[in-house]
Amino acid sequence: MKRLSVDERLARNKFESNDETPHIIIDRQECRNCVHKACIYSCPAERYQLNADEELIFDHVGCLECGNCRLVCEKLRESKPGYKWNYPVKGGGVIFRQG
Ligand code: SF4
Ligand code: SF4
């Protein structure tokens, strides 16, 4: 059986994204100073990645709302300036099609 990529598996869900008020916000400039960048390794949906310049990029669309990044990132957990983690507003976010 063919092994699906993360993006292919995410495409089986539906996402109601709110680009005006994303449920997770990070400060990419401040993230440059983060030594562990644990968000990258903890996100099952691979929403946190490093670009070619080794800068963190994040896309809230596709987030599975598992909360792992909030657990491993002290700035998200403590709502430091420039950082926010909330569940999407009612009716938004991920809609699981297969339970
Ligand atoms: S763990 Fe938090 S502070 Fe560190 S790179 Fe990720 S989002 Fe930024
Ligand atoms: S809540 Fe989970 S799926 Fe969403 S960005 Fe954080 S680790 Fe990734």
Side-chain angles (χ1 to χ4, degrees), residues 8-9 20 34 38 40 46 51 59 61 63 65 70 72 78 80 84 88 96-97:
E8 286 171 323
R9 280 180 273 164
E20 287 181 11
C34 178
I40 296 172
E46 298 181 348
N51 66 15
D59 185 359
V61 179
C63 169
E65 302 164 27
R70 185 173 182 269
V72 300
E78 297 170 13
K80 295 290 188 191
K84 181 188 93 170
F96 293 102
R97 286 186 163 150

Side-chain angles (χ1 to χ4, degrees), residues 24 42-45 47-48 58 63-69 85:
I24 300 173
S42 68
C43 179
R47 296 299 84 193
Y48 298 86
F58 171 71
C63 169
L64 302 172
E65 302 164 27
C66 68
N68 282 357
C69 56
W85 197 106

Side-chain angles (χ1 to χ4, degrees), residues 23-66:
H23 65 295
I24 300 173
I25 293 174
I26 61 165
D27 181 339
R28 291 179 62 203
Q29 283 299 113
E30 182 61 27
C31 286
R32 286 170 175 248
N33 302 319
C34 178
V35 290
H36 56 71
K37 291 186 173 55
C39 55
I40 296 172
Y41 310 104
S42 68
C43 179
E46 298 181 348
R47 296 299 84 193
Y48 298 86
Q49 296 184 12
L50 292 178
N51 66 15
D53 295 322
E54 297 285 301
E55 294 172 330
L56 188 73
I57 52 175
F58 171 71
D59 185 359
H60 68 280
V61 179
C63 169
L64 302 172
E65 302 164 27
C66 68

